[in-house]
Structure formats: C-alpha cells, structure tokens
C-alpha cells in the first residue's frame, strides 16, 4: 500500500518513514555481507595477496594458476561426480520413501521422524559416525571378520577409487529425508479426484504414481534438485569429518581447497579465486532457476488476470 | 454543508490513471453507493477517502476539512471490509475496543459503548468469542459493531455483503438499512451489486473506467440514465439495446419493423439518423393488457418472436427476437406465451430511451 | 488446495483382500528395511558409549555391548582431554550454547521485524531490498571468510564467542527475514488497514496484530536457526581456537587428530552430546522443522 505523503515536521517525517528507518540496520548489514564482502573477496582474488591480504592489483593470474593445479581440477571433478550421484540418489530414495509413507501407513509420524532425523544432526557428527562404520579397523569389515568371514573386505573409505562413494552414501543418508519431506508434502497436495479417475481408468498403483501423480508435482522435484545441488556445492564439513579429503585427494572438494589455500598454505589470492569459482558454480545452478521461476510466475499471473 | 466532498480527484499508479477527475458530494446523513463493475475504480476511491491510498491530485474534504494528507486515524472514519478484517487473535470485545484503546478512550466509556453497540446488533452473547468461532453472518455483525463503536463522521463499507450467501445477504442488507436509519451517519458504500445500491442508497455514483458516469438518486438513475453504460448496468435483466434509424413514421428497427414515436418525444432528431433504442425488459407487456395506458402512459404494439422461456417463479423471462434482433422480455408468469411462436407485445413507449450509437450518450 | 486431496484416498485399499494384504506387507517391509538403515548409526554409537575400550578396539564398533557402563559419559563431559586441556566437552558444549542461543534470539527478532516491514509496509523498492537480504541465504561462506576475519579483528572480536554471534546473526537474518516475510504475506492486508483506521501505528500493529499471529513462524525460525548455528563448523573452526571453539570444531579437533590412543567409547559419548540439542529440538518440534524446510526450499 502506498501511504499518503505528508508535509512538514521532522517528527511527522520520521513517523511516516518509520518502516524504512527500522529496516536500515539490516539493510546495511546485508549490503555489507552480500555485496561488499563478495567484492572484497573478488578483489583479493585478483590481488597480489599471499600470507596476508594485499590490495595491489595483479590480474587474473591466480585463476589460471588455480585451473592448472591438479588438486583443484580433481576437486572440481570430484564435486561433479559427488553432486550427480548425491542429488539423484537422495531424490530416488526420497521419492521411494515418500511414496511408501503415502500409502496410509500406520504411525506415519514415527516413520517420518526416523527418515528425517539425520538432517537435524551436524555434518561433523554424521561424518565422524560414518567414518567409524566405514573404516576397516573399526567398522563393517572388522565385524564381518569377527562373524567368521575372514576374507570379507569393505575398505572403500581407504580406497582411492571408492572413497568418494562413501561420501555419497553418507550424504544421501543425511539428505534423503529432506527430499522425502518435500515430495511427501507435494504428493499430499495432488487433487484426490485425479487419483480416483486414474484408478477407475484401470491404472495400477505404481502406474498411477509414475504417470499421474509424480508428473503433476515435477516443480517440487526441480526445487529439491536445486536445493540439493546447492548443498553439494557448499559441501565441506562432511568431508572434513569423514575423510579429510583423502585418501590423497580422492575426496577433496572445492571448499576444502579454499580453506587450505587461504589458511594453511598462505595463498590468499588463489584461495579467494577458488571461493569466487564456488560462487560462480552456485550462480550457474541458482540464476537459471530463479529466472525460470520468475518466468513461470509471470505466466501464471498472465493466465489469471 | 456537505459532510463528504470530493473535488477534481485523480489517482495515478505509474502511468495509469485509475481515477479521472471525480467530483462528488454527500450531504450529512446521506447513504452513497459507489457502484460499477470490478476494476472501475470504486474501491480505490474508497481507499482514498479512508486514507489508505494517496491522492494524486484534487481534494477530499470530510466535514469541510481537507484530509488529503491526514493519516487514516485522523480522518474520523470507520470502515467495514469485504473480508471483515477481524483481528483473529482477539475476542469480539477486544476487536471492538482496539480502536478506542488507540484513541485512549477511558475504560468505563469503552465498556458502555461496547454494551450499547452489542445490544443494537444483538451480538452480546458473542463478545467473548474469537472470530474463528463465528459464522459468516455473525462476523459481518461484529465488523459493523467495530465500526459503530467509533461513532465516526463517516462510515465506509467495502463490499461488505459479497462473502455471504444469498439469503443472508438480503437479511444483512435490511439490517444495514435499519442501522443507517438509526444512527443517521453519512455512509459511503462500495458494491458491484446494483440491487444493493438501489435498495440502500439515497444517491448512487455509477463508475466505469475510472470515470464517474452518473451521480443521482436511484430513481433518476433507473429512469433517466445518462448513457448506455449506466442504462445497461443498472436494472436486471439488463436493458435491451436495439439498432434503429429515425424514419418518417417513427423508429425503423434494423430488420424492418417500425415503432411509432410519441408526439414530441424526440423533437430534435432528424430523419435518417442512426440511433440505439433502449427498452427495459419490464417495460414490455402482453398486447391485450394495455398496462401503460392504465398508468397514464402510451403503449405501442410490437411483434416479438419468442424463442425460449425462462421461468423464474413470479415472472418469466422471454428470450425473443424483435425485428430479428435479440431482446429479453419480462412478463408475469401467468401471461407467458408459448415458445416458438410470434406474439404481440406492447411497449410502454414513454419509458424507453434513445442513445447515440457513436458516443453512447442518451439523446 | 484442491477440495479433496490425494491424502484422502488410499489407493492400496481397493481390490481383493489378498492383493491388499500383500501390497501392505511389501510397504511395511520396505519401510522397516530403510528405517533400520537410518537408525543404525545412532544405535551403534549409543551402544558404544557404554562399552569398555578394549572391547571396542578388539571387535570394532559393530558388536554386541558387553559390560555396559555409563562412566564414559561422565568422562566425556568433564575430564576427557582435548587439545591439551582435560575438561571434557562441557566447555565446548557451553560455548555452543552461549553462541547459538543469543544468535538465534537476535536473528529471529530482526527477521520478524524485517518480515513485517517487507510484507506489510511495502515501499518502492521493497522487493529489491528483500532480494538483497535473501541473497545472503545463498552466498557461499567461503566468500565471506577473509572479510569476516578482517572485520572481527578490527572490532576486537577475534577468537570470541561474541564474534561468532555477530557472524551468525548477519547470516541468519537472511533466513529469518525470508521465513517471516513469506509467512506474513498470508496475513490479509485488510487487517493492517483496519488497524490503521482504528488508530494503531507501526509498532502497535506489530505488537497487537502481527506478533500474536506469529508463533508458528517463530517456532520455525528458532528451530531452524538454533539447529543451523549449533551444527555450523566452518566459521567456528576459523574464527575461534582453543577453549573458545564451539563443539563441532572440538569434535573434529579430537577425533580428527589420528595419532595416539583412541578413546572410542568416550569419543562416541562426546559425539552424542554434540548431536543431542538439535536432535532434542527436532523431536519436540518436528512438525515445524518440516514446515521450515518446505517454506525455505520451495521459495
């Protein structure tokens, strides 16, 4: 609503603009946080900074150096593999769980609570616990040996080729409940008459889901995928607690490289360049999605009025 | 002195002018209805009177004082919303006292005012309930009660009955009329329902496209609409508009039928001029009845081809073609002719009107 | 929402009795298998908090507990050695509380006020400003590490819990503003108009009309903020050190340093302690937790 403009008096002016005035502290903080901090980090990435920040401009050399470093390219391809398996895995498991719970099961709240609780637990705790389970000296392998299966081998976490999948499994354990919760909410919003119509048309239950129910909630799948991708790109704590990026660089992800460059190796400029690359990756996921959502909203708005 | 006066009022949203030069005045104690189709600007006008929208140019006076820049709370008004806008977390009593608290009315006075208004509206048993525990009609009463405790200079109603079912709407319409008669405050009432406007208002402002089309008593608006829009909007079923040309012996309808004009009815019309002939469905009657004559008017015979009947109970609507043009005729149920046959009707000629097909203005 | 939703209709309840029973049996069997997989880690860790160390070292984590004892919990809480100091995790637990509680309260209050302004007192450009504030939700923390380090250093909050509170409030306001603004959009504008005509101003409308309608979103914001801040690791490990660290950083400090003798049972108890507060909040307010997820993600 636009308010009647008023004339005269500072008190009056303050009264009329109180909303804007109250918002100022948050706006300043948000502006500093979102804009200034980003520009700052970007500036560091094109500066000569090493151990300490140094504002002298030096160009985009650190970006080139970053993309030539093996560690960074490996971390990016790790992120790609991890992100793909993680997003698809969490969504498949989440969809399956949502459909199972959707069958009017008894104690629905209990099942939901069980599948969603990992999300309340920190990545640090999650990673620590699963490291113990996956580690051959403390976890599954040892248990199998004790049960008499001496030749059993389960050492993915120390295997360069398989360690990344340990991260994937753990991350799916953590996030599939999230996918389940959102998809279940979507399933519950589907018009019941459509489902009845499909039943009368003779569709089996799996076919009803595949052809009628799930396609109507595809925007939810898109939203879940975007959020999970965003989680994947920001992944840091989980890997630190689970594998510390190893063995070697087998599970190193971009966020770990940023930390190392900035705080361990005294290469602030290159670390900043790596941070900017993470921002770019997020932008590649989020900007098209945001634009698409706006476009869709406008389309719907046009339909209604 | 007028208790509400609006002069040369305009409202722009960006480049769009939604209200164009509105002029309107209400005498003290009057009941003004703002009526028009959705998007005509009536709700914006009400919001500007309330102070919820700013004025782009022009002037709004309440009791002689210019209130253009006054905050809503300083305008001495009360408003009933379409959604009722009852505060959901407060009881009915708290809803009614909230405004008085803001105004620092002493507690004892608050209590007596609430008691008086609650009695007037018969909502005493509801005072300690929350809005969610009330029926639609009860919420409507509470919303009015919240406005009444204020004892304002001006009452504003924004489509207050549109969320009620048909039966309740008629009941509450009568209730609003009774309250206005009791309280006697100047009231501005926005509605898209022309029946509400006709039954409640002392004067009706018909709006369309941001322009005030006509501002007059219900009787004048019904009898003498200034243009084709007003004529068509007010009245149900809507007025028939038949294309015609002025001829020697009267109106020649497109399609060939001739309707004799009354002597001196439209003296200035030159022969050959294109016109639109407006006839309300209720101004037809079966030819044999000669109803117009009994009221001192003149009826003119006209032939109508009846295609379909729509009985509504007391009266029957005839879907007809007159001289090949579609027309609705409303007759007493007992007088309804057979469908599928031509029938002879009579038109109360004195109550029909002519419009310019170019400007839509009444001739 | 549709008149009848899918939830009102049980597709598996049609057809012959035998078919129905088989279908339901498959559903429950699958649910049980998944539930065991989800519960396994927490059960294993809980069991190991009770086991003697030599038993764990010999048979690993996945074994039936023998000689259960609660003593490792006490040790983990108050005497276990982390990074040279032997005070258990109690200090870090308290650090996390001292960080998460104020940061949650402040960011939630700011979010309520911002949301109120951005939904009910909209002015030209309000949507743009809302966009700016919510960008903070998506900004990767790596972009803010060095600027924060500089800011905290220059205002004298390096290696302090107050510094972490500041960091979490600024980041958290993005979330709480997003939650509250979207929630308040559903409050009819007519209510605010009615209150203004009733003579109420900015703060009175907030206090008397908006706040009484806010408990659901306050619960969502509090749960979400507390859980997020408690579980956060990166800021905690970079901006604090030693005995100022939150519990997530402390856990990595003792369990990550691979050398020396491991006290798995005590570590397991410490890990459980780190997980308990958010778990407790989740179990108490699960419904709101899900609601926060939905409103945060679908936006």
């Amino acid at each position: 609503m636009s308010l009647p403009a008023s004339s005269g008096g500072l008190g009056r002016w303050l009264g009329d603009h109180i909303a804007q005035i109250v918002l100022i502290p948050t706006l300043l903080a948000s502006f500093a946080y979102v804009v200034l901090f980003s520009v700052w980090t970007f500036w560091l990435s094109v500066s000569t900074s090493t151990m300490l920040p140094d504002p002298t401009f030096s160009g985009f050399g650190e970006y080139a150096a970053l993309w030539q470093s093996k560690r960074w390219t490996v971390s990016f391809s790790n992120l790609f593999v991890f992100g793909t398996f993680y997003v698809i895995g969490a969504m498949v498991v989440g969809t399956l769980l949502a459909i199972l719970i959707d069958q009017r099961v008894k104690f629905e709240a209990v099942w939901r609570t069980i599948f969603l609780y990992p999300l309340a637990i920190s990545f640090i705790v999650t990673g620590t616990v699963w490291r113990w389970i996956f580690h051959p000296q403390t976890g599954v392998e040892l248990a199998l040996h004790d049960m008499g299966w001496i030749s059993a081998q389960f050492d993915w976490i120390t295997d360069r080729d398989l360690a990344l999948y340990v991260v994937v499994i753990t991350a799916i354990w953590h996030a599939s409940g999230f996918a389940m919760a959102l998809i279940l909410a979507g399933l519950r919003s589907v018009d019941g008459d459509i489902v009845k119509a499909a039943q009368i048309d003779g569709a089996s239950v799996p076919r009803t889901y595949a052809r009628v129910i799930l396609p109507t909630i595809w925007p939810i799948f898109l939203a879940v995928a975007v959020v999970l991708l965003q989680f994947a790109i920001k992944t840091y704590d989980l890997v630190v607690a689970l594998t510390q990026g190893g063995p070697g660089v087998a599970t190193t992800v971009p966020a770990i490289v940023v930390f190392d460059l900035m705080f361990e190796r005294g290469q602030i400029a290159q670390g900043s360049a790596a941070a900017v690359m993470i921002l770019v990756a997020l932008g590649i996921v989020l900007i098209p999605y945001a634009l698409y959502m706006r476009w869709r909203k406008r389309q719907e708005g046009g339909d209604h009025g | 002195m007028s208790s509400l006066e609006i002069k040369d009022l305009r409202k722009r949203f960006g480049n769009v002018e939604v209200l164009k030069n509105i002029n309107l005045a209400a005498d003290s104690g009057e009941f003004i209805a703002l009526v028009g189709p959705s998007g005509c600007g009536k709700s914006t006008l009400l919001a500007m009177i309330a102070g919820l929208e700013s004025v782009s140019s022009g002037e709004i006076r309440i009791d002689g004082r210019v209130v253009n820049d006054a905050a809503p709370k300083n305008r001495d008004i009360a408003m009933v919303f379409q959604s009722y806008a009852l505060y959901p977390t407060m009881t009915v009593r708290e809803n009614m006292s909230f405004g008085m608290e803001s105004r620092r009315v002493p507690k004892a006075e608050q209590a007596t005012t609430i008691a008086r208004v609650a009695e007037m509206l018969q909502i005493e048993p509801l005072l300690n309930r929350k809005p969610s525990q009330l029926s639609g009609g009860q919420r409507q009463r509470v919303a009015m009660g919240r406005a009444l405790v204020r004892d304002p200079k001006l009452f504003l109603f924004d489509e207050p009955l549109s969320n009620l079912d048909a039966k309740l709407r008629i009941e509450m319409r009568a209730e609003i009329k009774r309250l206005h008669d009791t309280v006697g405050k100047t009231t501005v009432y926005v509605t898209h329902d022309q029946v509400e406007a006709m039954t409640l208002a002392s004067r009706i402002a018909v709006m369309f496209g941001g322009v005030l089309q006509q501002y007059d008593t219900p009787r004048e608006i019904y009898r003498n609409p200034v243009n084709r829009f007003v004529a068509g909007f007010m009245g149900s079923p809507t007025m028939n508009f038949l294309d015609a040309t002025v001829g020697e012996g009267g109106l020649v309808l497109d399609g060939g039928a001739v309707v004799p004009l009354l002597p001196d009815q439209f003296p200035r019309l030159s022969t050959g001029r294109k016109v639109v002939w407006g006839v309300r469905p209720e101004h037809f009657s079966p030819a044999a009845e000669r109803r117009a004559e009994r009221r001192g008017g003149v009826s003119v015979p006209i032939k109508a081809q009846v295609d379909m009947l729509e009985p509504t109970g007391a009266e029957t609507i005839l879907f007809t073609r007159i001289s090949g043009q579609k027309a609705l005729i409303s007759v007493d149920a007992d007088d309804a002719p057979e469908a599928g046959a031509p029938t002879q009707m009579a038109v109360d000629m004195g109550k029909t009107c002519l419009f310019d097909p170019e400007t839509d203005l009444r001739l | 929402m549709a008149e009848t939703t899918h939830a009102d209709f049980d597709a598996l309840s049609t057809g012959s009795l035998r078919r129905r029973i088989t279908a339901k049996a498959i559903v429950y069997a699958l649910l049980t298998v998944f539930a065991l997989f989800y519960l396994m880690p927490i059960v294993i860790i809980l069991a190991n908090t009770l086991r003697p160390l030599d038993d764990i070292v010999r048979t690993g984590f996945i074994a039936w507990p023998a000689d259960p004892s609660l003593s490792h919990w006490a040790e983990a809480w108050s005497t276990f050695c982390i990074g040279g100091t032997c005070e258990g995790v109690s200090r870090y637990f308290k650090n996390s509380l001292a960080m998460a509680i104020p940061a949650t309260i402040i960011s939630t209050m700011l979010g309520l006020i911002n949301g109120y302004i951005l939904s009910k007192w909209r002015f030209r450009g309000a949507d743009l400003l809302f966009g700016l504030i919510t960008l903070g939700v998506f900004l990767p923390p790596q972009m803010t590490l060095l600027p924060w380090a500089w800011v905290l250093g220059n205002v004298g909050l390096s290696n302090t819990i107050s510094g972490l509170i500041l960091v979490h409030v600024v980041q958290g306001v993005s979330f709480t503003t997003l939650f509250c603004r979207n929630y308040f959009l559903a409050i009819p504008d007519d209510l605010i108009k009615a209150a203004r005509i009733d003579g109420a101003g900015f703060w009175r409308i907030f206090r008397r009309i908006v706040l009484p309608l806010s408990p659901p979103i306050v619960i969502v914001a509090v749960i979400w903020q507390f859980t997020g801040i408690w579980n956060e690791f990166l800021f905690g490990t970079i901006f604090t050190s030693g005995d100022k660290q939150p519990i997530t950083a402390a856990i990595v400090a003792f369990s990550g340093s691979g050398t020396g003798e491991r006290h798995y049972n005590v570590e397991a108890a410490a890990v459980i302690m780190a997980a308990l507060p958010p778990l407790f909040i989740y179990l108490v307010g699960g419904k709101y937790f899900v609601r926060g997820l939905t409103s945060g993600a679908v936006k």
Side-chain angles (χ1 to χ4, degrees):
Chain A
M1 65 191 99
S2 68
L3 310 177
S6 59
S7 50
L10 179 63
R12 183 73 175 279
W13 186 89
L14 287 173
D16 286 345
H17 294 84
I18 182 153
Q20 286 98 316
I21 294 166
V22 172
L23 201 57
I24 286 175
T26 303
L27 283 179
L28 288 179
S30 285
F31 180 78
Y33 184 67
V34 173
V35 180
L36 292 186
F37 279 18
S38 297
V39 170
W40 190 336
T41 300
F42 175 74
W43 183 256
L44 287 173
S45 76
V46 293
S47 72
T48 56
S49 309
T50 51
M51 283 289 282
L52 291 170
D54 175 353
T56 316
F57 180 77
S58 88
F60 288 84
E62 296 294 351
Y63 286 88
L66 182 71
W67 282 102
Q68 277 156 19
S69 86
K70 182 98 192 304
R71 192 167 148 75
W72 175 255
T73 50
V74 167
S75 80
F76 231 83
S77 76
N78 281 346
L79 173 60
F80 197 79
V81 174
F82 166 72
T84 308
F85 281 92
Y86 163 65
V87 171
I88 294 174
M91 285 180 57
V92 168
V93 174
T95 307
L96 182 58
L97 291 175
I99 291 176
L100 289 174
I101 289 184
D102 197 31
Q103 304 311 315
R104 281 200 169 174
V105 293
K106 295 242 186 307
F107 312 113
E108 181 188 315
V110 175
W111 296 112
R112 269 205 330 236
T113 306
I114 290 173
F115 299 134
L116 193 54
Y117 90 92
L119 201 69
I121 293 176
S122 63
F123 284 120
I124 295 301
V125 169
T126 304
T128 307
V129 169
W130 280 95
R131 187 185 64 224
W132 286 333
I133 293 174
F134 277 113
H135 205 282
Q137 282 162 26
T138 54
V140 176
E141 187 178 307
L142 185 59
L144 293 176
H145 290 178
D146 286 349
M147 280 188 276
W149 185 3
I150 307 296
S151 62
Q153 208 182 355
F154 189 66
D155 56 356
W156 291 15
I157 198 168
T158 53
D159 184 316
R160 280 171 177 273
D161 295 327
L162 294 171
L164 193 57
Y165 299 96
V166 167
V167 183
V168 170
I169 292 170
T170 309
I172 290 176
W173 178 81
H174 190 260
S176 49
F178 164 80
M180 173 212 70
L182 286 181
I183 293 166
L184 185 59
L187 291 179
R188 292 290 157 84
S189 69
V190 171
D191 181 358
D193 286 345
I194 298 180
V195 183
K196 286 176 198 165
Q199 294 276 304
I200 289 165
D201 278 343
S204 65
V205 173
R207 203 171 125 83
T208 306
Y209 274 99
R211 294 292 302 279
V212 179
I213 301 176
L214 295 183
T216 60
I217 59 164
W218 66 266
I220 292 189
F221 286 100
L222 185 63
V224 172
V226 167
V227 173
L228 289 176
L229 264 179
Q230 184 201 330
F231 285 166
I233 294 169
K234 289 179 175 172
T235 294
Y236 173 71
D237 333 9
L238 181 65
V239 179
V240 166
L242 191 60
T243 61
Q244 291 182 300
V249 289
T251 56
T252 298
V253 288
I256 289 188
V257 179
V258 172
F259 180 88
D260 286 353
L261 289 170
M262 280 184 182
F263 300 101
E264 305 276 335
R265 301 185 177 194
Q267 291 181 277
I268 280 181
Q270 202 174 108
S272 300
V276 171
M277 291 321 299
I278 292 181
L279 182 66
V280 170
L282 270 177
I284 289 172
V285 171
L286 291 176
I287 292 171
Y289 179 68
L291 290 177
Y292 169 72
M293 289 304 279
R294 244 179 85 175
W295 175 78
R296 211 166 71 109
K297 215 172 180 178
R298 199 168 296 161
Q299 294 275 306
E300 278 171 7
D303 286 347
H304 291 303
Chain B
M1 187 176 55
S2 299
S3 100
L4 171 68
E5 207 179 338
I6 291 168
K7 270 170 78 178
D8 300 336
L9 192 71
R10 287 170 190 278
K11 176 70 186 177
R12 277 180 295 272
F13 288 118
N15 295 325
V16 189
E17 192 161 47
V18 293
L19 286 180
K20 297 166 186 156
N21 207 35
I22 306 288
N23 284 283
L24 196 148
D27 294 332
S28 184
E30 257 200 289
F31 196 115
I32 307 297
L34 301 180
V35 64
S38 59
C40 72
K42 58 188 192 296
S43 292
T44 308
L45 178 56
L46 192 76
M48 287 167 81
I49 297 171
L52 298 169
E53 289 285 358
S54 62
V55 172
S56 299
S57 75
E59 208 172 84
I60 301 174
R61 289 170 183 269
I62 296 175
D63 251 13
R65 184 170 70 97
V66 179
V67 295
N68 280 19
D69 295 334
K73 60 174 177 175
N74 298 325
R75 296 192 179 199
D76 209 356
I77 50 170
M79 185 156 166
V80 176
F81 292 83
Q82 179 176 6
S83 60
Y84 314 138
L86 298 177
Y87 310 129
T89 54
M90 301 183 195
T91 62
V92 168
R93 188 193 305 280
E94 288 163 338
N95 262 281
M96 291 168 76
S97 65
F98 183 75
M100 291 191 284
E101 276 172 44
S102 302
R103 253 155 256 276
R104 306 215 162 71
V105 174
K107 278 264 185 271
E109 196 184 324
Q110 289 183 19
T112 50
T113 311
I114 290 174
R116 179 173 56 79
V117 171
E119 196 199 333
M120 192 187 336
L121 288 165
Q122 292 152 6
I123 52 172
E124 293 120 314
L126 313 177
L127 282 175
N128 293 320
R129 296 209 199 150
K130 292 277 179 69
S132 56
Q133 299 166 296
L134 304 178
S135 69
Q138 289 171 331
R139 284 180 206 183
Q140 173 65 53
R141 277 169 193 276
V142 172
M144 291 202 292
R146 192 173 63 181
L148 282 167
V149 293
R150 295 274 325 281
D151 193 26
K153 292 207 184 74
L154 196 58
F155 273 114
L156 306 177
F157 287 82
D158 187 4
E159 310 218 13
L161 303 183
S162 54
N163 285 349
L164 299 178
D165 63 48
K167 184 162 172 282
L168 206 50
R169 197 178 311 162
I170 292 169
E171 266 177 54
M172 290 309 296
R173 199 166 73 199
E175 180 82 17
I176 290 176
K177 189 156 187 137
R178 183 179 71 80
L179 282 172
H180 181 253
D181 290 345
T182 318
V183 181
K185 292 282 177 182
T186 315
T187 300
V188 181
Y189 187 102
V190 165
T191 177
H192 61 263
D193 179 349
Q194 44 99 13
V195 179
E196 262 172 43
M198 295 291 276
T199 50
L200 288 170
S202 57
R203 276 194 282 177
I204 298 177
V206 184
M207 298 183 64
F208 181 61
V211 176
L212 179 56
Q213 305 285 331
Q214 188 170 7
Y215 179 47
D216 218 325
T217 61
R219 188 185 162 89
E220 273 301 299
I221 290 212
Y222 178 73
R223 288 214 170 155
N224 296 312
V226 294
N227 59 29
R228 190 170 158 172
F229 172 79
V230 175
F233 190 77
M234 303 300 285
S236 172
T238 188
M239 186 186 259
N240 298 300
F241 297 104
L242 303 173
D243 295 324
T245 314
V246 180
E248 291 295 335
L251 288 176
V252 182
L253 301 183
D254 291 8
V258 177
V259 186
L261 288 169
L262 302 184
D264 300 330
Q265 192 173 10
F266 301 104
R268 281 166 301 153
L269 291 180
S270 52
T271 307
R273 176 166 187 178
K274 292 256 175 216
V275 293
V276 173
W277 185 41
V279 195
R280 294 198 183 275
E282 56 271 33
H283 292 149
F284 289 94
S285 55
E289 272 208 29
R290 309 196 65 75
R291 224 181 327 176
E293 270 70 12
R294 277 188 270 140
R295 294 191 197 125
V298 178
S299 69
V300 163
I302 195 162
K303 206 198 282 174
Q305 169 72 29
V306 180
D307 292 332
M308 192 180 82
L309 302 183
E310 196 176 78
T312 64
E315 56 182 27
T316 295
I317 313 290
L318 315 180
F319 287 71
T320 72
R321 273 171 292 140
I322 294 174
S323 192
Q325 302 187 51
K326 282 185 182 163
L328 296 183
I329 293 177
S330 157
V331 296
D332 199 289
D334 298 333
D335 299 336
E338 292 287 312
T343 182
Q344 199 65 30
M345 303 297 292
V347 182
D348 189 345
M349 200 59 201
K351 288 183 174 159
T352 67
C353 34
L354 291 182
F355 300 95
D356 186 319
E358 301 291 320
T359 63
D360 282 345
L361 289 178
R362 185 157 181 242
L363 298 169
Chain C
M1 190 171 280
E3 279 287 311
T4 57
T5 64
H6 171 53
D8 302 329
F9 183 67
D10 181 10
L12 291 188
S13 71
T14 58
S16 73
L17 185 66
R18 212 178 109 197
R19 197 188 81 110
R20 262 150 52 194
I21 291 173
T22 329
K24 289 274 171 184
I26 294 172
V27 166
Y28 283 105
L30 282 172
L31 281 174
T32 308
V33 169
F34 274 105
L36 290 176
F37 174 69
Y38 279 79
L39 288 173
M40 174 193 68
I42 204 92
V43 171
I44 288 176
I45 300 310
L46 267 177
N48 281 282
T49 62
L50 308 174
R51 295 170 65 196
L53 184 62
D54 54 352
D55 188 26
I56 302 179
V57 171
R58 197 176 61 249
T59 62
F61 274 73
I62 307 172
W64 199 251
D67 294 329
S69 152
L70 275 171
S71 66
H72 315 112
W73 283 72
E75 194 184 332
W77 179 252
S78 52
T79 60
F80 183 51
C81 298
I82 300 166
T85 48
C86 299
E87 293 176 282
V89 294
S90 61
R91 169 185 291 277
Y92 307 96
F93 191 92
K94 287 175 199 155
N95 285 349
S96 276
L97 279 183
M99 164 184 77
I101 291 173
T104 299
I105 294 174
I106 297 171
S107 59
T108 302
M109 289 198 318
L110 286 174
L112 282 168
I113 296 171
N114 295 340
Y116 166 58
I117 294 171
L118 291 169
S119 61
K120 295 296 164 220
W121 292 79
R122 303 174 71 154
F123 45 87
R124 194 182 296 259
D127 282 346
L128 202 72
L129 297 178
F130 175 64
L132 174 78
I133 293 173
T134 47
L135 273 184
V137 170
F138 305 106
L139 191 69
Q142 286 79 14
M143 288 297 287
T144 68
L145 293 177
L146 294 168
W148 267 129
W150 186 88
V151 169
L152 293 178
N154 278 272
V155 296
L157 292 175
S158 288
N159 199 20
T160 63
I161 287 164
S162 307
L164 285 182
I165 292 175
L166 176 67
V167 172
H168 284 301
V169 165
V170 170
Q171 195 197 27
V173 160
S174 309
F175 284 94
T176 55
T177 303
L178 176 74
F179 285 153
C180 295
R181 185 262 196 180
N182 289 349
Y183 180 80
F184 291 155
L185 279 184
I187 298 179
D189 281 345
D190 277 358
L191 274 188
I192 311 298
K193 291 182 189 168
R196 288 180 61 207
I197 289 175
D198 268 343
F202 180 83
W203 290 112
R204 196 170 142 79
I205 295 174
F206 181 62
R207 221 160 19 90
R208 294 291 305 275
I209 314 283
V210 174
L211 269 191
L213 288 169
S214 302
I217 200 64
V218 169
I219 298 174
V220 168
V222 164
I223 288 180
W224 196 247
Q225 283 302 100
F226 183 85
T227 315
I229 295 170
W230 180 278
N231 286 342
E232 206 278 336
F233 166 70
L234 184 63
F235 291 142
T237 192
I238 288 177
F239 300 135
T240 56
S241 58
D243 61 5
K244 294 291 196 305
Q245 287 199 318
I247 195 158
T248 44
I251 292 219
V252 170
F254 72 69
S255 77
S257 54
T259 55
E261 194 193 354
R262 303 302 300 267
H263 298 268
Y264 290 122
N265 46 9
V266 181
E267 288 176 18
V271 162
I272 292 285
M273 285 169 189
L276 268 184
L279 257 187
F280 174 76
I281 285 191
Y282 165 72
L283 290 175
V284 171
K287 188 176 79 179
Y288 295 95
F289 189 83
V290 175
R291 201 178 294 172
L293 277 182
T294 333
S295 56
V298 172
K299 168 64 202 170

